[in-house]
Each structure stands twice: as C-alpha cells, then as structure tokens.
Amino acid sequence: MSQIPSAYWLVKSEPDAFSWAQQQANDIEPWTGVRNYAARNHLRAMRVGDLCFFYHSNQGRQIVGIVRVVRAAYPDPTATEGDWSAVDMQAVATLPEPVTLATMKQDPALAGLDLLRQSRLSVMPVRAAHWHHICALGGLPDQARPQRGKRSPPAR
DNA sequence: GCCAACGTTGGC
DNA sequence: GCCAACGTTGGC
C-alpha cells in the first residue's frame, strides 16, 4: 500500500451526519452514500495513499482535517440500486486552525478552487498549489504537512 | 427559513 | 434530444 499521494481531493460531510470527531474516533471509515455521478467518478479516480481535506458543510463551513485513502473504490454497500462506489478513509491530521469557507473565498491564491465554484459537489479534486496553501493557512508546518512524494505523518 | 445553483426525471 | 418541472444541497 502506497503512502505517496498521486492526487489531492476534498470531501464534504455534514457534521450532523458524520463529523471529523467521529472520523478520528473510528480511525478508518468507509466513505459511503455518494449519489452524484461527478462525485462518484472522483471517488473512483482516487488511489490508495491519496489525501483529502475533510470539510464540514452546513454547520462549520470549514476544512477541519486530512484523511488518507486506504482502500480504493469498491461497490457502495449502502446502495440498494444503481452503480455507486465507496472508498475507505483514515484520519491523518487535524488542522490546528480550521480554514473557513469565508477565508478561502477572500483569498486570491485560492481563486478557481472547485469548492468555491461548485458548492454542491461533495467530492472534488484539489490542485497541489491549493493543497499546500490551505495546509499553510491551517497551521500545518512543512514537516507535518502531507505532500506529494514525501512520507506522510502518523495519524494523531 | 429562504433561495440560488444545479442535477435528475419525464413528457413530448 | 430538448426542456420544464421538481428535488436536493448548502450558503446566507
């Protein structure tokens, strides 16, 4: 199993339904319930070792943590019909300073971020430059920051 | 609670 | 294949 991310992503969850605290408590969690074709296709493009921002939608409206893909796409066990996929995610790091939607909206360095353009998409890619910029805003020092081609830090 | 954005459904 | 109606998401 690779520790090297091939791409970066952002996944959303309403904290009422599934929160960052629950993700951390469970450590590894199946990411199920996606019922949108664009989001599903992004799930299917994820590789083991890829990293994702964990975003709290609705309540919070901020990026609160980072998860790693530990199992690539497989049939979503919660789907009773249709062709849907799930992946497994593992908690990697909490952002010392959550990065709010308001902050991201007003930051010129994050212009073009999918989160700001397509607010309804629940799984989306994140450009490497945006990834590192958001990590810095979140207070993750370089050494603790998961990045392409380097070892990822241990879960905490 | 309201509403804009956008995806899906179904009639034609 | 087009498009109007409808449902859902999620910011405000």
Side-chain angles (χ1 to χ4, degrees), chain A residues 18-85:
Chain A
F18 183 71
S19 70
W20 177 240
Q22 288 173 276
Q23 173 73 53
Q24 285 185 291
N26 297 359
D27 189 30
I28 294 178
E29 181 72 16
W31 204 267
T32 57
V34 168
R35 298 293 183 270
N36 168 283
Y37 290 111
R40 180 201 69 181
N41 292 342
H42 290 318
L43 283 183
R44 290 180 176 179
M46 289 180 179
R47 297 294 167 251
V48 170
D50 282 2
L51 296 165
C52 316
F53 286 130
F54 190 112
Y55 176 82
H56 273 166
S57 61
N58 261 316
Q59 289 180 348
R61 278 172 251 144
Q62 55 190 359
I63 295 172
V64 291
I66 293 172
V67 289
R68 180 192 295 116
V69 178
V70 293
R71 182 182 173 190
Y74 57 95
D76 184 341
T78 70
T80 55
E81 60 174 13
D83 181 21
W84 302 108
S85 295

Side-chain angles (χ1 to χ4, degrees), chain A residues 113-142:
Chain A
L113 190 69
D114 282 7
L115 181 68
L116 307 180
R117 299 186 321 124
Q118 245 190 304
S119 68
R120 290 181 56 206
L121 191 57
S122 64
V123 182
M124 65 191 78
V126 175
R127 298 176 52 82
H130 290 159
W131 176 270
H132 294 297
H133 187 78
I134 291 168
C135 283
L137 292 176
L140 282 183
D142 283 350

Side-chain angles (χ1 to χ4, degrees), chain A residues 73-120:
Chain A
Y74 57 95
D76 184 341
T78 70
T80 55
E81 60 174 13
D83 181 21
W84 302 108
S85 295
V87 300
D88 287 357
M89 301 289 204
Q90 181 173 31
V92 170
T94 300
L95 296 199
E97 292 290 334
V99 180
T100 67
L101 181 66
T103 295
M104 290 186 274
K105 278 182 125 171
Q106 69 188 22
D107 190 335
L110 296 177
L113 190 69
D114 282 7
L115 181 68
L116 307 180
R117 299 186 321 124
Q118 245 190 304
S119 68
R120 290 181 56 206

